[in-house]
Amino acid sequence: MPKQNSGSRHIVLTSHPNSGGTKPIPIHWGASNPLERGPIIATLTKQAHRNVIGTHSGSYAVYRALAVASGALQSDHRADLTNTAPVAHIGPHPSWFDADKIVSLDPFGAVGSEVFSSYFAQGYDIRPTIAITQAHINMPELQDAVDKGRLQVDGKIMKPGGDLVVTKAAIEPVWYLPGIAKRFGIKETDLRRALFEQTGGMFPELVTRSDLEVFLPPIGGVTVYIVGDINAIADPNKPLAVRVHDECNGSDVFGSDICTCRPYLVHGIEVCVQTAQEGGVGVIVYCRKEGRALGEVTKFLVYNARKRQEGGDRADAYFARTECVAGVQDMRFQELMPDVLHWLGITRIDRMVSMSNMKYNAITQAGIEIVERVPIPEDLIPQDARVEIEAKKAAGYYTTGEVLDTEGLGEVKGRDLES
């Protein structure tokens, strides 16, 4: 909070009390009891209560700051969470209590008011980092699948007119820094220093408060769409289909035909519906990692560079142009992606709607079995995808006969036609 001093206004860099003040509630990540684990308190209503670095809402926290600065929002506003509880319950699962399996989200993020009620009674302002609700989604491709007989209207999962009934969860990132460092095989001090420096010194506690081990990074989160009985997700006797999809705004929302991101997303939903109608359940995990987590500006710059180079858009220069602009081909780091699957209680995936080796390796190395990998149908691949397909073949991104799944930078996933 601002402090007054000799008529000037000074901002305290650290949002936490001095060493002589009240100590924040400790967090024991992976503890077998939520009260022992401790709540995540990142709100700003009482600075002394905060026990993590950063604030809620990821990148949207900047808009909150603008709302406060402009007078549209009171800085001490406390959310009224009446009737906001999850409409469906997920967990707890054994993976919730394993400090190695979940390091990038708070498994108790949706049930804080339930498991930390004693803290609420003491005046602690604990905000959810996960929200679970139910809705209908309607995509014209699904109605087309019904018309062509690939999907059936059952009145429960798929309704007349193409409405699909889903349970969905929005998840904000919550990083347990020692676990993140261990996952990537780096020193926690190096991780903290890089985070501090690469955010322009935005979070000084990263390097000044080693006692605070949890960080809420200013990045996009994850949305989970569940089709069918949510209780079937962790049932080994029920089939489970999963599509892990990284954001591609141009294709997913606006239908750009330079890649197969939306077609693969829709195909994944279709497989999820089919699996749910067979008595199982389908899960779509949608990750905010636009442009392979390089960002949309970088994505468009690469488009321009590829098309304007001598000789036009060529497979042999495809990855080189990305590296020239971004310095790296991919920053999605799928190593963190399986956390959401562990949160859902998934131990086996019967139908993985993806041929990405990066995703497959990350999931199986996390101890989750994948029975079948489902490729995108050939007729969903745009005809102008040959450059990307040839680039992937040359780079060895995917195994012969499989389909590469690298959505996010407009790449096309196609079949390797070599024998």
Side-chain angles (χ1 to χ4, degrees), residues 131-264:
I132 305 172
T133 189
Q134 290 178 330
H136 290 176
I137 62 174
N138 192 308
M139 303 174 76
E141 294 95 333
L142 297 180
Q143 182 58 54
D144 182 63
V146 170
D147 295 340
K148 293 179 178 178
R150 296 197 307 271
L151 292 181
Q152 304 298 319
V153 173
D154 58 22
K156 181 179 180 181
I157 296 173
M158 179 65 72
K159 293 183 175 291
D163 280 352
L164 177 62
V165 180
V166 299
T167 300
K168 58 182 182 179
I171 303 173
E172 292 180 3
V174 178
W175 285 11
Y176 175 56
L177 294 174
I180 297 285
K182 183 177 180 181
R183 186 76 62 87
F184 285 92
I186 58 180
K187 294 180 180 178
E188 184 185 343
T189 52
D190 292 341
L191 171 64
R192 285 173 173 265
R193 173 62 63 178
L195 289 170
F196 170 68
E197 292 178 347
Q198 295 303 313
T199 56
M202 187 182 295
F203 303 99
E205 294 89 353
L206 286 166
V207 292
T208 63
R209 295 293 302 272
S210 60
D211 59 314
L212 298 179
E213 298 182 323
V214 176
F215 174 45
L216 275 61
I219 59 175
V222 175
T223 307
V224 178
Y225 288 82
I226 301 169
V227 183
D229 182 8
I230 197 170
N231 296 313
I233 293 176
D235 188 340
N237 298 313
K238 300 290 181 64
L240 170 66
V242 172
R243 165 69 184 167
V244 177
H245 190 91
D246 293 324
E247 180 181 30
C248 177
N249 182 65
S251 178
D252 297 341
V253 178
F254 293 98
S256 171
D257 62 358
I258 196 171
C259 62
T260 60
C261 296
R262 181 180 173 99
Y264 218 145

Side-chain angles (χ1 to χ4, degrees), residues 49-123:
H49 287 176
R50 289 169 51 80
N51 62 354
V52 302
I53 302 166
T55 63
H56 291 299
S57 302
S59 58
Y60 292 100
V62 177
Y63 287 104
R64 184 173 64 240
L66 183 59
V68 171
S70 66
L73 174 66
Q74 294 297 312
S75 61
D76 60 352
H77 171 73
R78 183 165 178 168
D80 180 354
L81 300 176
T82 303
N83 294 327
T84 63
V87 299
H89 287 280
I90 294 175
H93 299 290
S95 52
W96 289 25
F97 312 113
D98 188 328
D100 290 327
K101 286 190 174 180
I102 297 179
V103 300
S104 62
L105 61 87
D106 176 15
F108 301 103
V111 293
S113 59
E114 178 183 333
V115 299
F116 300 121
S117 57
S118 60
Y119 287 104
F120 277 94
Q122 297 175 58

Side-chain angles (χ1 to χ4, degrees), residues 333-349:
F333 295 114
Q334 300 294 356
E335 291 90 340
L336 298 178
M337 173 266 293
D339 288 21
V340 66
L341 305 180
H342 286 307
W343 175 69
L344 291 165
I346 293 174
T347 57
R348 187 193 71 216
I349 298 172

